[in-house]
PDB file of all heavy atoms in Angstrom:
ATOM      1  N   THR A 145       0.025 -18.107  11.483  1.00 92.00           N
ATOM      2  CA  THR A 145      -0.370 -19.429  10.993  1.00 92.00           C
ATOM      3  C   THR A 145      -1.183 -19.309   9.741  1.00 92.00           C
ATOM      4  O   THR A 145      -1.022 -20.098   8.778  1.00 92.00           O
ATOM      5  CB  THR A 145      -1.155 -20.204  12.051  1.00 92.00           C
ATOM      6  OG1 THR A 145      -0.426 -20.370  13.222  1.00 92.00           O
ATOM      7  CG2 THR A 145      -1.569 -21.586  11.516  1.00 92.00           C
ATOM      8  N   ASP A 146      -2.056 -18.298   9.662  1.00 91.00           N
ATOM      9  CA  ASP A 146      -2.943 -18.097   8.495  1.00 91.00           C
ATOM     10  C   ASP A 146      -2.215 -17.380   7.352  1.00 91.00           C
ATOM     11  O   ASP A 146      -2.832 -17.113   6.289  1.00 91.00           O
ATOM     12  CB  ASP A 146      -4.146 -17.285   8.882  1.00 91.00           C
ATOM     13  CG  ASP A 146      -5.052 -18.026   9.921  1.00 91.00           C
ATOM     14  OD1 ASP A 146      -4.913 -19.236  10.026  1.00 91.00           O
ATOM     15  OD2 ASP A 146      -5.832 -17.352  10.602  1.00 91.00           O
ATOM     16  N   LEU A 147      -0.963 -17.005   7.550  1.00 87.00           N
ATOM     17  CA  LEU A 147      -0.187 -16.194   6.531  1.00 87.00           C
ATOM     18  C   LEU A 147      -0.918 -14.930   6.173  1.00 87.00           C
ATOM     19  O   LEU A 147      -1.041 -14.549   5.017  1.00 87.00           O
ATOM     20  CB  LEU A 147       0.131 -17.063   5.327  1.00 87.00           C
ATOM     21  CG  LEU A 147       1.049 -18.307   5.537  1.00 87.00           C
ATOM     22  CD1 LEU A 147       1.156 -19.054   4.237  1.00 87.00           C
ATOM     23  CD2 LEU A 147       2.370 -17.861   6.100  1.00 87.00           C
ATOM     24  N   HIS A 148      -1.515 -14.327   7.193  1.00 90.00           N
ATOM     25  CA  HIS A 148      -2.379 -13.125   7.019  1.00 90.00           C
ATOM     26  C   HIS A 148      -1.573 -11.934   6.528  1.00 90.00           C
ATOM     27  O   HIS A 148      -0.428 -11.660   6.998  1.00 90.00           O
ATOM     28  CB  HIS A 148      -3.124 -12.811   8.311  1.00 90.00           C
ATOM     29  CG  HIS A 148      -4.062 -11.702   8.189  1.00 90.00           C
ATOM     30  ND1 HIS A 148      -5.437 -11.895   7.806  1.00 90.00           N
ATOM     31  CD2 HIS A 148      -3.992 -10.375   8.440  1.00 90.00           C
ATOM     32  CE1 HIS A 148      -6.057 -10.735   7.842  1.00 90.00           C
ATOM     33  NE2 HIS A 148      -5.207  -9.822   8.200  1.00 90.00           N
ATOM     34  N   THR A 149      -2.141 -11.184   5.574  1.00 89.00           N
ATOM     35  CA  THR A 149      -1.639  -9.876   5.191  1.00 89.00           C
ATOM     36  C   THR A 149      -2.730  -8.852   5.418  1.00 89.00           C
ATOM     37  O   THR A 149      -3.837  -8.971   4.875  1.00 89.00           O
ATOM     38  CB  THR A 149      -1.148  -9.825   3.743  1.00 89.00           C
ATOM     39  OG1 THR A 149      -0.043 -10.756   3.563  1.00 89.00           O
ATOM     40  CG2 THR A 149      -0.709  -8.377   3.364  1.00 89.00           C
ATOM     41  N   GLY A 150      -2.453  -7.868   6.262  1.00 90.00           N
ATOM     42  CA  GLY A 150      -3.469  -6.865   6.565  1.00 90.00           C
ATOM     43  C   GLY A 150      -3.114  -6.009   7.766  1.00 90.00           C
ATOM     44  O   GLY A 150      -1.890  -5.825   8.088  1.00 90.00           O
ATOM     45  N   ILE A 151      -4.108  -5.570   8.480  1.00 92.00           N
ATOM     46  CA  ILE A 151      -3.927  -4.634   9.590  1.00 92.00           C
ATOM     47  C   ILE A 151      -4.672  -5.032  10.801  1.00 92.00           C
ATOM     48  O   ILE A 151      -5.838  -5.490  10.681  1.00 92.00           O
ATOM     49  CB  ILE A 151      -4.347  -3.188   9.155  1.00 92.00           C
ATOM     50  CG1 ILE A 151      -3.342  -2.631   8.115  1.00 92.00           C
ATOM     51  CG2 ILE A 151      -4.385  -2.219  10.324  1.00 92.00           C
ATOM     52  CD1 ILE A 151      -3.707  -1.303   7.581  1.00 92.00           C
ATOM     53  N   VAL A 152      -4.058  -4.856  11.952  1.00 94.00           N
ATOM     54  CA  VAL A 152      -4.747  -5.029  13.191  1.00 94.00           C
ATOM     55  C   VAL A 152      -4.870  -3.658  13.922  1.00 94.00           C
ATOM     56  O   VAL A 152      -3.824  -3.023  14.122  1.00 94.00           O
ATOM     57  CB  VAL A 152      -4.076  -6.046  14.133  1.00 94.00           C
ATOM     58  CG1 VAL A 152      -4.792  -6.130  15.518  1.00 94.00           C
ATOM     59  CG2 VAL A 152      -3.980  -7.400  13.480  1.00 94.00           C
ATOM     60  N   GLU A 153      -6.031  -3.215  14.239  1.00 94.00           N
ATOM     61  CA  GLU A 153      -6.215  -1.938  14.946  1.00 94.00           C
ATOM     62  C   GLU A 153      -6.609  -2.286  16.396  1.00 94.00           C
ATOM     63  O   GLU A 153      -7.504  -3.099  16.633  1.00 94.00           O
ATOM     64  CB  GLU A 153      -7.301  -1.082  14.299  1.00 94.00           C
ATOM     65  CG  GLU A 153      -7.140  -0.818  12.848  1.00 94.00           C
ATOM     66  CD  GLU A 153      -8.390  -0.329  12.200  1.00 94.00           C
ATOM     67  OE1 GLU A 153      -8.944   0.713  12.617  1.00 94.00           O
ATOM     68  OE2 GLU A 153      -8.929  -1.011  11.328  1.00 94.00           O
ATOM     69  N   ILE A 154      -5.962  -1.621  17.360  1.00 95.00           N
ATOM     70  CA  ILE A 154      -6.255  -1.835  18.734  1.00 95.00           C
ATOM     71  C   ILE A 154      -6.543  -0.556  19.368  1.00 95.00           C
ATOM     72  O   ILE A 154      -5.621   0.379  19.358  1.00 95.00           O
ATOM     73  CB  ILE A 154      -5.132  -2.567  19.414  1.00 95.00           C
ATOM     74  CG1 ILE A 154      -4.810  -3.934  18.676  1.00 95.00           C
ATOM     75  CG2 ILE A 154      -5.448  -2.879  20.872  1.00 95.00           C
ATOM     76  CD1 ILE A 154      -3.579  -4.605  19.189  1.00 95.00           C
ATOM     77  N   GLN A 155      -7.680  -0.320  20.055  1.00 94.00           N
ATOM     78  CA  GLN A 155      -8.048   0.909  20.648  1.00 94.00           C
ATOM     79  C   GLN A 155      -8.059   0.744  22.147  1.00 94.00           C
ATOM     80  O   GLN A 155      -8.858  -0.060  22.710  1.00 94.00           O
ATOM     81  CB  GLN A 155      -9.442   1.324  20.128  1.00 94.00           C
ATOM     82  CG  GLN A 155      -9.521   1.577  18.607  1.00 94.00           C
ATOM     83  CD  GLN A 155     -10.894   1.774  18.091  1.00 94.00           C
ATOM     84  OE1 GLN A 155     -11.840   1.700  18.839  1.00 94.00           O
ATOM     85  NE2 GLN A 155     -11.024   2.041  16.785  1.00 94.00           N
ATOM     86  N   THR A 156      -7.221   1.455  22.829  1.00 93.00           N
ATOM     87  CA  THR A 156      -7.138   1.436  24.259  1.00 93.00           C
ATOM     88  C   THR A 156      -7.318   2.835  24.826  1.00 93.00           C
ATOM     89  O   THR A 156      -7.301   3.832  24.074  1.00 93.00           O
ATOM     90  CB  THR A 156      -5.801   0.930  24.754  1.00 93.00           C
ATOM     91  OG1 THR A 156      -4.811   1.870  24.551  1.00 93.00           O
ATOM     92  CG2 THR A 156      -5.411  -0.358  24.003  1.00 93.00           C
ATOM     93  N   GLU A 157      -7.467   2.944  26.133  1.00 90.00           N
ATOM     94  CA  GLU A 157      -7.648   4.286  26.745  1.00 90.00           C
ATOM     95  C   GLU A 157      -6.443   5.138  26.564  1.00 90.00           C
ATOM     96  O   GLU A 157      -6.552   6.308  26.178  1.00 90.00           O
ATOM     97  CB  GLU A 157      -8.017   4.156  28.234  1.00 90.00           C
ATOM     98  CG  GLU A 157      -8.345   5.470  28.892  1.00 90.00           C
ATOM     99  CD  GLU A 157      -8.760   5.299  30.336  1.00 90.00           C
ATOM    100  OE1 GLU A 157      -9.170   4.157  30.718  1.00 90.00           O
ATOM    101  OE2 GLU A 157      -8.680   6.232  31.091  1.00 90.00           O
ATOM    102  N   PRO A 158      -5.166   4.629  26.750  1.00 92.00           N
ATOM    103  CA  PRO A 158      -4.043   5.511  26.629  1.00 92.00           C
ATOM    104  C   PRO A 158      -3.688   5.804  25.160  1.00 92.00           C
ATOM    105  O   PRO A 158      -2.984   6.789  24.891  1.00 92.00           O
ATOM    106  CB  PRO A 158      -2.896   4.613  27.258  1.00 92.00           C
ATOM    107  CG  PRO A 158      -3.621   3.592  28.026  1.00 92.00           C
ATOM    108  CD  PRO A 158      -4.836   3.291  27.337  1.00 92.00           C
ATOM    109  N   GLY A 159      -4.168   5.024  24.203  1.00 93.00           N
ATOM    110  CA  GLY A 159      -3.847   5.337  22.809  1.00 93.00           C
ATOM    111  C   GLY A 159      -4.301   4.247  21.865  1.00 93.00           C
ATOM    112  O   GLY A 159      -5.023   3.331  22.257  1.00 93.00           O
ATOM    113  N   THR A 160      -3.949   4.374  20.631  1.00 94.00           N
ATOM    114  CA  THR A 160      -4.398   3.493  19.558  1.00 94.00           C
ATOM    115  C   THR A 160      -3.183   2.925  18.800  1.00 94.00           C
ATOM    116  O   THR A 160      -2.249   3.621  18.525  1.00 94.00           O
ATOM    117  CB  THR A 160      -5.297   4.288  18.545  1.00 94.00           C
ATOM    118  OG1 THR A 160      -6.432   4.785  19.167  1.00 94.00           O
ATOM    119  CG2 THR A 160      -5.748   3.327  17.437  1.00 94.00           C
ATOM    120  N   ALA A 161      -3.312   1.654  18.453  1.00 94.00           N
ATOM    121  CA  ALA A 161      -2.188   0.946  17.699  1.00 94.00           C
ATOM    122  C   ALA A 161      -2.658   0.539  16.384  1.00 94.00           C
ATOM    123  O   ALA A 161      -3.765   0.133  16.147  1.00 94.00           O
ATOM    124  CB  ALA A 161      -1.666  -0.221  18.559  1.00 94.00           C
TER     125      ALA A 161
END
Side-chain angles (χ1 to χ4, degrees):
T145 301
D146 297 340
L147 298 179
H148 183 86
T149 295
I151 290 176
V152 178
E153 304 164 61
I154 303 171
Q155 300 172 358
T156 73
E157 184 178 340
T160 300

